[in-house]
Amino acid sequence: MSLRLRIAVETPQHSGLAGALDYASDQALAPGTLVRVPLGRREVCGVVWDPADEPAPTDAGWAVKPVAAVLGGLPPLGPSWRRLVSFAAGYYQRGLGELALAVLPPELRLLDDAALERRRRRKRRAATAVEADRPPPLNPEQAAAVAAIASALSAGDGLATTQPPPLLLHGVTGSGKTEVYLHAAAQALAAGRQVLVLVPEINLTPQLTERLARRFADRRLVTLHSGLTPAQRLQHWLAAHTGEADLVLGTRLAIFASMPRLGLIVVDEEHDPSYKQQEGARYSARDLAVWRAQSERLPVVLGSATPSLETWQRADEGRYRRLTLAARVGAAALPRVRLVDWNQCPKPKGPPSAIAPPLLDALRLRLQRGEQSLLLLNRRGYAPVLHCTSCGWKSGCPHCSAWQVFHKAERVLRCHHCAAAARVPQACPQCGDLDLHAMGRGTERLEEQLAELLPGARIGRIDADSTRAKGELQARLQAVHAGEVDVLVGTQMVAKGHDFRRMTLVAAVNPDGALFSSDFRAPERLFALLMQAAGRAGRDAAMGPSEMWLQTWHPQHALYAALRDHDYPRFAATQLADRRSAGLPPFASLALLRADARDGAVAEAFLTEAGRQAEARAAEAGAALIAYPAVAPPISRVADTERRQLLLESPSRAALQHVLRAALPDWHALRSQHRGLARWAVDVDPLAI
DNA sequence: AGCACGCCGACT
DNA sequence: GTCGGCGTGCTC
């Protein structure tokens, strides 16, 4: 007897094989079982999928091959996991098997039954007999939030018929969101459920990891993120899958963790762009968390001081329930926001100063008082471009439409978009002039200038360059915590997550860039970054009042005015009004079709035709859709490849989904008509357009 | 994506 | 005469 099985097979995106494939088996295999199957002339991994609603045609134009091997030792992946993967593959327009295998630990496919048995027998480390932290008392707002989540938890127990809505936990930094998560988690754990906590980047939030581990010392907590070794990732994933782990703390990929007893999902800093995967299947872990929670009828808590406008709008519409924490725990006051108006500052005779006189005075005052300051500058390197004053040459990257950044200490010019690096020329490569000039300012130069402006101050720097070596980030953070640094210079990586208790001043050196950016989400990101940065200061009420300084040419800008008042709702309302009148998300659904080719015209021709096909499909279905002309993104050439993109916009998410699904086969077929096209991809709900 | 098959230059 | 360059085509 031979059974017919549907199997999600690891077929690459470009195969055009989106769904499950048919294979034969002489034994019945439960959906969710891992198998190896022949595909073409090789053998690949697959997951037994649910039988199709309609039986496969018997006269199919291919020979059905038998399953090659079964990994019987692993408990099958459950129906809720399969639903999530199915949904994500469909929504983000990727192959089912491609996505299914991409979100499983890579080591799993190497695991035969014998290896699995060895792993299972290996004695798991006994839980350390550490006394769990006693939870602190909650303030009334926190208690109300916990009660709301608790009622959603019991509603999700299958007893109630109503679905708990997603919960937006809106609270400024320091208002005690984490304590709400911990209490909610405790309740879910007490009910015998597992808890999934998502964070943007795990090494930026060691404090949350520690707090979870201490509070739930008697429970098994595992982490899931790309920094784990393959063996660790497998081990942690298996602990979640078998239900041995009670808590899973992870980055975006953890949204796909198989958790049979899942009872609560928390998405911390839900607005953070790192929740959107930027290559391969471009999924949003936050959006999938909401979908997964609805699908499994469990509560999801989205926490942020500056929620994404999508989330905020849904709360305004009543689709999400908003829980607000307005008070800062421990009576710590919010930092006072001070704007330095460059227009009011006397022009120095020499080159423009990095730090305006009033800010410099404020820094000196902190030095005298033995307090720490943080200066934020979102630009690493010494200077963004090297410039010849006599002929006008600039250090352009030979492979990209971008400047090579001057890294002084390393003595290299480095492109931040490709691997290209060159030694710093002694003389202008174009005219031979020796007077090469570093234009603009990066963190490395700011560090150097501060050393001159503040003699005797201990300056530290934390950015991707200074923390490249393993352990260097932790070492530098430790030095700051230990008080070995007076003034810390950093990129946005320090604005997130870390509490610096002795820090009483945070300054954004040059935040204006995002005010007039072509990226429609730039103001939202800037506001979130500045709010988050402001939250770094003044966490300790005993340190006295803290300040957030902004150096700007536009002190009247509405964004800064809202920031000065710590008024996120006002900022969101004005942004949402702009978005509504511009027909942008959350009032429209977007997808971006991207194409790369050596020759930009090839990518453009492909996109133009693909856009025409999409509009034809939309017309067929009576779906409202606009395909905009193909354009070059701000950095149009990277590593000698020209990039182009085409925006698809619809007032309806469902209509856009329908068109994408219908047009995808057209686009696959179109590829062969455009010789020289390197690759193409769809980005559903893109962050930047 | 792999991994084929398929037609044109420098070697034992 | 072959070994092999990577162009293009297929995978239940």
Side-chain angles (χ1 to χ4, degrees):
Chain A
M1 180 193 72
S2 185
L3 297 162
R4 186 73 73 86
L5 293 177
R6 301 281 293 164
I7 296 183
V9 178
E10 194 175 14
T11 47
Q13 177 67 1
H14 287 279
S15 65
L17 302 172
L21 302 183
D22 290 313
Y23 285 88
S25 167
D26 46 16
Q27 60 176 127
L29 296 174
T33 305
L34 276 172
V35 291
R36 296 191 65 81
V37 292
L39 180 73
R41 287 160 197 40
R42 64 210 166 100
E43 196 179 281
V44 294
C45 229
V47 181
V48 178
W49 218 254
D50 304 74
D53 295 333
E54 291 171 36
T58 47
D59 61 339
W62 56 75
V64 174
K65 295 180 181 178
V67 170
V70 179
L71 278 126
L74 188 79
L77 293 149
S80 56
W81 184 87
R82 298 198 302 276
R83 278 205 308 277
L84 175 66
V85 168
S86 259
F87 169 77
Y91 187 83
Y92 293 105
Q93 311 297 326
R94 306 296 295 202
L96 178 65
E98 180 211 9
L99 185 71
L101 275 301
V103 302
L104 289 170
E107 294 284 287
L108 204 57
R109 73 195 62 188
L110 308 172
L111 211 59
D112 54 22
D113 289 354
L116 197 66
E117 196 46 45
R118 273 200 304 279
R119 177 168 292 279
R120 182 160 296 173
R121 273 205 305 270
R122 199 156 48 173
K123 209 173 69 183
R124 121 169 138 71
R125 195 165 48 96
T128 39
V130 177
E131 188 77 8
D133 265 7
R134 295 275 292 283
L138 299 176
N139 68 29
E141 285 178 338
Q142 289 174 311
V146 171
I149 301 167
S151 78
L153 271 168
S154 54
D157 273 350
L159 302 171
T161 49
T162 53
Q163 169 76 36
L167 300 153
L168 164 60
L169 182 62
H170 176 227
V172 295
T173 320
S175 62
K177 290 190 293 292
T178 305
E179 202 47 54
V180 174
Y181 304 153
L182 294 177
H183 273 77
Q187 300 204 356
L189 292 170
R193 312 294 291 265
Q194 291 172 295
V195 176
L196 174 61
V197 179
L198 300 184
V199 292
E201 283 161 79
I202 213 140
N203 26 351
L204 297 185
T205 51
Q207 281 140 338
L208 178 58
T209 316
E210 283 165 29
R211 274 177 79 179
L212 272 168
R214 278 205 310 272
R215 179 67 56 83
F216 302 112
D218 51 341
R219 300 282 189 166
R220 178 122 191 250
L221 163 71
V222 296
T223 56
L224 276 179
H225 53 95
S226 56
L228 297 175
T229 67
Q232 286 172 326
R233 196 167 147 198
L234 174 63
Q235 192 182 353
H236 294 186
W237 184 89
L238 281 172
H241 176 58
T242 57
E244 287 158 38
D246 298 304
L247 294 125
V248 174
L249 174 66
T251 52
R252 61 174 179 265
L253 60 88
I255 190 54
F256 290 106
S258 161
M259 297 178 69
R261 296 185 286 114
L262 184 60
L264 171 69
I265 306 177
V266 173
V267 184
D268 189 30
E269 306 292 1
E270 66 89 24
H271 64 279
D272 198 289
S274 7
Y275 284 121
K276 186 81 163 44
Q277 171 98 6
Q278 289 295 359
E279 55 194 31
R282 294 169 174 254
Y283 62 86
S284 158
R286 180 243 295 152
D287 294 349
L288 288 178
V290 171
W291 192 90
R292 183 173 185 176
Q294 300 287 104
S295 148
E296 299 189 38
R297 301 189 140 267
L298 29 112
V300 56
V301 181
L302 307 177
S304 178
T306 50
S308 64
L309 291 173
E310 282 80 357
T311 298
W312 192 253
Q313 172 64 17
R314 282 174 200 149
D316 281 349
E317 290 166 3
R319 292 159 65 193
Y320 292 2
R321 179 163 174 202
R322 180 158 30 214
L323 309 169
T324 304
L325 304 180
R328 244 183 153 185
V329 165
L334 286 166
R336 180 170 165 216
V337 175
R338 309 196 52 158
L339 295 166
V340 180
D341 184 357
W342 280 120
N343 301 291
Q344 304 291 316
C345 294
K347 289 257 161 32
K349 281 186 282 292
S353 170
I355 307 293
L359 176 54
L360 195 55
D361 291 341
L363 288 170
R364 291 199 176 108
L365 186 65
R366 295 307 185 290
L367 275 171
Q368 281 169 21
R369 296 207 295 234
E371 297 170 2
Q372 292 176 315
S373 304
L374 170 62
L375 294 186
L376 291 171
L377 180 61
N378 246 352
R379 182 166 264 172
R380 62 194 171 87
Y382 187 85
V385 59
L386 208 58
H387 175 229
C388 170
T389 44
S390 77
C391 79
W393 172 87
K394 284 178 165 181
S395 58
C397 174
H399 309 289
C400 306
S401 52
W403 304 124
Q404 286 193 323
V405 176
F406 175 31
H407 290 256
K408 191 180 183 187
E410 282 181 280
R411 299 201 175 94
V412 292
L413 293 176
R414 173 172 296 131
C415 174
H416 289 180
H417 301 275
C418 73
R423 295 202 44 185
V424 178
Q426 298 297 308
C428 172
Q430 199 165 278
C431 74
D433 196 290
L434 293 174
D435 190 19
L436 291 177
H437 170 68
M439 270 177 87
R441 172 165 36 240
T443 45
E444 200 185 332
R445 190 178 205 174
L446 179 59
E447 182 186 17
E448 183 185 284
Q449 290 174 331
L450 279 168
E452 288 167 19
L453 292 167
L454 301 167
R458 296 163 301 171
I459 317 288
R461 174 164 66 94
I462 294 184
D463 57 28
D465 298 315
S466 73
T467 58
R468 189 147 296 155
K470 191 168 157 56
E472 192 60 29
L473 174 61
Q474 292 309 319
R476 286 184 180 237
L477 288 170
Q478 187 48 44
V480 179
H481 288 301
E484 293 160 18
V485 169
D486 299 313
V487 180
L488 178 63
V489 173
T491 52
Q492 59 176 348
M493 65 186 289
V494 282
K496 296 180 182 181
H498 291 284
D499 294 342
F500 298 110
R501 302 220 85 91
R502 302 158 54 99
M503 207 153 266
T504 59
L505 185 152
V506 176
V509 173
N510 183 21
D512 282 350
L515 293 180
F516 309 102
S517 164
S518 61
D519 176 358
F520 72 92
R521 273 186 239 266
E524 184 184 351
R525 275 203 311 274
L526 176 63
F527 194 88
L529 183 70
L530 294 177
M531 279 286 267
Q532 215 159 17
R536 297 306 109 219
R539 294 298 289 263
D540 196 341
M543 290 301 289
S546 61
E547 292 177 351
M548 166 99 205
W549 285 67
L550 304 167
Q551 301 192 118
T552 176
W553 291 97
H554 307 278
Q556 308 306 322
H557 199 283
L559 188 152
Y560 294 141
L563 188 76
R564 192 169 47 209
D565 300 337
H566 303 282
D567 192 347
Y568 173 79
R570 190 171 92 218
F571 169 74
T574 55
Q575 282 290 305
L576 282 169
D578 289 354
R579 297 274 188 94
R580 189 190 292 274
S581 60
L584 287 168
F587 305 102
S589 279
L590 307 180
L592 213 49
L593 195 57
R594 303 167 187 275
D596 292 357
R598 274 296 160 88
D599 177 1
V602 170
E604 246 169 71
F606 169 82
L607 289 175
T608 302
E609 181 58 15
R612 202 196 55 74
Q613 289 176 329
E615 285 191 319
R617 290 292 183 185
E620 245 169 56
L625 177 113
I626 302 172
Y628 287 90
V631 294
I635 304 221
S636 61
R637 191 165 55 100
V638 171
D640 294 317
T641 301
E642 293 286 341
R643 313 160 104 183
R644 298 292 184 271
Q645 58 187 37
L646 181 144
L647 181 66
L648 299 170
E649 181 197 275
S650 172
S652 151
R653 178 182 298 257
L656 179 65
Q657 278 289 315
H658 178 90
V659 172
L660 291 176
R661 211 162 25 248
L664 208 64
D666 300 342
W667 296 340
H668 276 294
L670 192 59
R671 187 193 212 288
S672 59
Q673 294 166 36
H674 292 264
R675 289 294 133 80
L677 186 70
R679 49 190 204 162
W680 67 277
V682 193
D683 185 350
V684 181
D685 301 334
L687 282 189
I689 58 174

